[in-house]
Amino acid sequence: MVNLIWVALFLIGIIFAFINGTMEEVNKAIFSGAEEAIAVCIGLLSVLVFWLGLMRIAQKAGLLDVLARGFKPFARKLFPEVPPDHPAMGYILSNMMANMFGLGNAATPMGIKAMEELKKLNDMKDHASRSMITLLALNTSSLTLIPTSVIAIRMKYGSVSPTEIVGTTIAATACSTIGALMIDRFFHRRNKGGI
């Protein structure tokens, strides 16, 4: 459905430009936009490679395991249906750590693996389990301590202080995560008949 919307928007824009005689400006915008997109991607790639490398070093040094152990009691409360030593818990914790460091691209594969493992635990195969819904809410709101992608974009466009957004990012993502968890719990209790 989204593909159809994008195609429709593209065609409407082209037809509108043709009617108004602004096709030359549209062509310039398309090519300059493509050039800009490549430049941004290359800039982001270098920062993501740097942070993914740091995450790999932290993983090899055992730092991520220490962080994961620290968050394990919190994760067990959020995901009570998941056995503590189940592979899903490891993927959930890895997903949370990657999101905290602003590495959404690295968090995605771990989130997918966590969902696959949670599906194996799910008795009602045609419905999402409570843990699957909680993971989706938590992953979407994702508490971020270091917004690496945004910092990279700000650096690319010459920001005087690209890291000044760290405090507001922590505050905003903390609010979104708390809100997502409150809504998740509200609807879980409501569906159980508790409210």
Side-chain angles (χ1 to χ4, degrees):
M1 184 65 183
V2 173
N3 291 340
L4 295 175
I5 292 170
W6 281 111
V7 169
L9 288 172
F10 179 75
L11 291 176
I12 290 168
I14 295 294
I15 292 167
F16 187 77
F18 181 74
I19 291 169
N20 288 327
T22 56
M23 282 301 288
E24 187 174 333
E25 288 86 355
V26 170
N27 285 334
K28 286 179 185 175
I30 288 172
F31 289 112
S32 67
E35 183 180 331
E36 185 76 16
I38 295 297
V40 169
C41 286
I42 290 171
L44 284 176
L45 184 64
S46 61
V47 172
L48 285 175
V49 167
F50 171 74
W51 281 103
L52 287 171
L54 280 181
M55 285 284 283
R56 187 72 171 158
I57 291 168
Q59 181 184 24
K60 291 283 187 185
L63 180 62
L64 291 183
D65 292 334
V66 170
L67 285 171
R69 276 196 299 274
F71 278 93
K72 198 167 191 173
F74 177 69
R76 288 184 64 194
K77 287 185 191 259
L78 288 175
F79 304 95
E81 301 87 20
V82 180
D85 296 327
H86 194 275
M89 189 60 77
Y91 287 121
I92 289 168
L93 289 167
S94 297
N95 176 272
M96 288 170 64
M97 293 301 109
N99 276 325
M100 282 186 184
F101 290 105
L103 300 170
N105 293 338
T108 300
M110 292 177 248
I112 291 170
K113 291 298 269 181
M115 281 293 188
E116 288 173 356
E117 293 296 327
L118 290 173
K119 188 173 182 179
K120 291 176 186 175
L121 291 172
N122 189 7
D123 293 333
M124 293 183 359
K125 302 291 182 197
D126 57 340
H127 290 84
S129 68
R130 173 186 178 193
S131 294
M132 293 169 87
I133 295 168
T134 302
L135 176 62
L136 185 61
L138 193 62
N139 188 47
T140 303
S141 63
S142 72
L143 175 65
T144 304
L145 302 177
I146 304 170
T148 54
S149 300
V150 178
I151 291 171
I153 291 170
R154 289 172 58 88
M155 288 171 60
K156 162 78 177 91
Y157 287 104
S159 173
V160 176
S161 180
T163 58
E164 73 182 353
I165 58 159
V166 171
T168 53
T169 299
I170 292 171
T173 58
C175 289
S176 69
T177 301
I178 291 168
L181 292 175
M182 288 173 61
I183 291 169
D184 174 60
R185 293 302 183 235
F186 171 78
F187 280 106
H188 174 68
R189 285 193 187 110
R190 184 173 158 204
N191 289 339
K192 281 181 70 172
I195 292 180

